[in-house]
Amino acid sequence: MDPANGSQNRDLEPPTAMQRLGNAERDIHRMTGDVSSLLRLGNQQQQQLQQTQQLLQQQQHLIHEQQDHLAHITRLLAQLSPQSQPAAPVIASPPASTAPESPAQATAAGAPEPRIGNPERFNGDPKQVRPFLTSCRLQFSLQPRTFATEGTKVGYTITHLTGRARLWGTAEFERQTPACASFELFAEEMLKVFDLGSSSEEASQELLSIRQGRRTVADYSIDFRTLARRSPWNMAALVDVFFASLADYIKDELVSHERPSTLDDAIALAVRIDRRIQTRRRDRGRQNPPATSSRHVPTVQPSSPTTPPNQPDLSEPMEIGRASLSPAERRRRISSNLCLYCGGEGHRVANCPLKAQAHQT
């Protein structure tokens, strides 16, 4: 037999069972590797899908925040637009949603709370209890998230008490009295303890006794306005009391002016007069400087008279009637900060206008 033909015949023979089994195992291993690759690829795609979903959620959260911020800016612009633009004719009543927001509502909508200073501590002074409580109310109104509960408000108020007021507040808190249930109850109890007497009655009594003295009208008017706000008097009474409490040199100038009908106009008129008088005094002082210091009060030696009997010595403090001052009158003028020469207010003997006129004559 031809060897070549024998090899060809072997190739054409069908594979044996062992060969077929080996081929099947190789196919199985190849298919198993393909399945593992497909599983790894599927896991990778699932992880990428999860990451994509997280990114989408973050983007949606950022979009919501931007929308809230834009809505807040829109509300602020809506509140500012009536102040900067002329009002349009009213056709119909606006809906309730267009009403301006209060500070507490604007803060609750997401705006940051303003930073404000703490109120001045209250030490039990009856005159300061109402200003202290008002400062606390402003603090709570401007920072509603910080002071969200009544307990927080009461605790904050107690921590800003000192002295005897702190002792009282600590006792109330330790006993947990009904006043500690809310700030308004606590404030009401504080007024009972520290706000002695009627505020309006005290203001009325002080208005009757307060005087300008040596102060400027501008400085004095601050105290007068404060008392006037607390008093129950009408406008005419306030104007009368204000004019009566002014210094004499202001009253002399008010004679030539019409009487104002309101307290604001009365104070403005008195301030203008006072400033003109003060300016004129400074000009006169620069033009005619005193020969001696303003603190030095010259005296006369009784043992060596140098003036005629009918003409008084102008260096000695005198009254307008040209009579020597008695010791009692001299002490009265010194204690009342009056001029030793003419008895007027607002100047000393060194720059007394009557004394200057007497020297010129």
Side-chain angles (χ1 to χ4, degrees):
M1 178 180 292
D2 190 359
N5 293 331
S7 61
Q8 291 178 357
N9 291 332
R10 284 194 300 271
D11 293 335
L12 294 176
E13 291 178 357
T16 62
M18 295 299 296
Q19 292 176 346
R20 289 196 299 272
L21 181 60
N23 293 335
E25 289 179 353
R26 287 193 297 272
D27 293 339
I28 291 173
H29 285 300
R30 187 172 58 255
M31 293 175 63
T32 303
D34 294 338
V35 171
S36 299
S37 299
L38 290 174
L39 290 175
R40 286 195 298 271
L41 182 61
N43 291 332
Q44 293 176 359
Q45 292 180 351
Q46 185 176 5
Q47 292 177 358
Q48 292 178 356
L49 179 61
Q50 292 176 353
Q51 293 177 357
T52 303
Q53 290 177 349
Q54 292 178 356
L55 291 175
L56 288 176
Q57 292 177 355
Q58 294 177 359
Q59 293 293 332
Q60 290 178 353
H61 181 68
L62 292 176
I63 290 174
H64 288 309
E65 288 184 351
Q66 293 294 331
Q67 289 177 347
D68 294 339
H69 186 62
L70 180 60
H72 176 65
I73 294 177
T74 304
R75 287 192 296 269
L76 293 179
L77 292 175
Q79 295 177 12
L80 295 176
S81 58
Q83 302 177 1
S84 58
Q85 298 179 359
V90 178
I91 304 302
S93 59
S97 59
T98 60
E101 294 181 344
S102 63
Q105 291 175 344
T107 304
E113 293 182 336
R115 296 181 180 180
I116 57 178
N118 294 324
E120 186 176 353
R121 294 181 180 273
F122 176 67
N123 61 358
D125 185 2
K127 295 183 179 180
Q128 299 299 325
V129 60
R130 291 183 180 273
F132 171 74
L133 293 175
T134 300
S135 299
C136 291
R137 288 189 177 94
L138 290 175
Q139 189 96 6
F140 303 153
S141 176
L142 294 175
Q143 295 181 341
R145 289 199 298 267
T146 302
F147 303 99
T149 64
E150 295 296 326
T152 306
K153 298 176 183 179
V154 173
Y156 179 85
T157 305
I158 295 177
T159 57
H160 284 76
L161 302 178
T162 60
R164 58 179 182 175
R166 190 178 186 88
L167 295 176
W168 170 82
T170 303
E172 292 288 322
F173 184 79
E174 289 178 349
R175 292 181 298 168
Q176 284 298 304
T177 61
C180 297
S182 69
F183 170 75
E184 292 302 330
L185 292 176
F186 192 82
E188 183 179 353
E189 197 67 23
M190 280 190 66
L191 292 175
K192 292 180 182 178
V193 176
F194 298 103
D195 190 21
L196 305 178
S198 174
S199 177
S200 60
E201 292 179 359
E202 292 181 358
S204 300
Q205 294 176 359
E206 292 185 29
L207 282 174
L208 291 174
S209 60
I210 190 172
R211 292 293 182 270
Q212 177 189 349
R214 301 183 63 183
R215 294 180 291 176
T216 63
V217 176
D219 183 34
Y220 168 67
S221 64
I222 297 175
D223 294 340
F224 192 91
R225 285 183 186 273
T226 303
L227 294 174
R229 294 291 185 185
R230 294 164 48 195
S231 70
W233 294 359
N234 56 30
M235 189 62 64
L238 291 174
V239 173
D240 292 340
V241 173
F242 175 73
F243 280 147
S245 63
L246 294 175
D248 289 338
Y249 72 95
I250 300 293
K251 295 179 182 178
D252 294 339
E253 297 295 331
L254 287 173
V255 175
S256 59
H257 293 79
E258 293 185 1
R259 192 178 189 83
S261 58
T262 64
L263 181 61
D264 292 339
D265 294 340
I267 292 177
L269 175 60
V271 169
R272 288 197 304 270
I273 293 175
D274 188 26
R275 288 176 178 173
R276 291 174 184 173
I277 293 176
Q278 298 299 332
T279 302
R280 177 54 185 155
R281 287 178 177 174
R282 289 192 295 267
D283 294 341
R284 187 168 55 234
R286 287 192 294 265
Q287 295 172 1
N288 300 318
T292 59
S293 174
S294 60
R295 295 184 179 180
H296 175 67
V297 179
T299 58
V300 176
Q301 298 294 335
S303 60
S304 58
T306 57
T307 56
N310 296 330
Q311 183 177 359
D313 186 359
L314 296 179
S315 62
E316 174 69 19
M318 303 290 288
E319 289 185 340
I320 298 179
R322 296 295 189 268
S324 298
L325 293 177
S326 64
E329 178 63 16
R330 183 184 182 86
R331 288 194 299 270
R332 186 188 72 82
R333 294 190 182 185
I334 292 176
S335 62
S336 301
N337 294 324
L338 302 177
C339 176
L340 293 176
Y341 185 83
C342 67
E345 297 179 347
H347 63 274
R348 298 293 181 89
V349 65
N351 55 358
C352 179
L354 294 181
K355 178 180 177 181
Q357 293 178 3
H359 276 295
Q360 293 176 0
T361 57

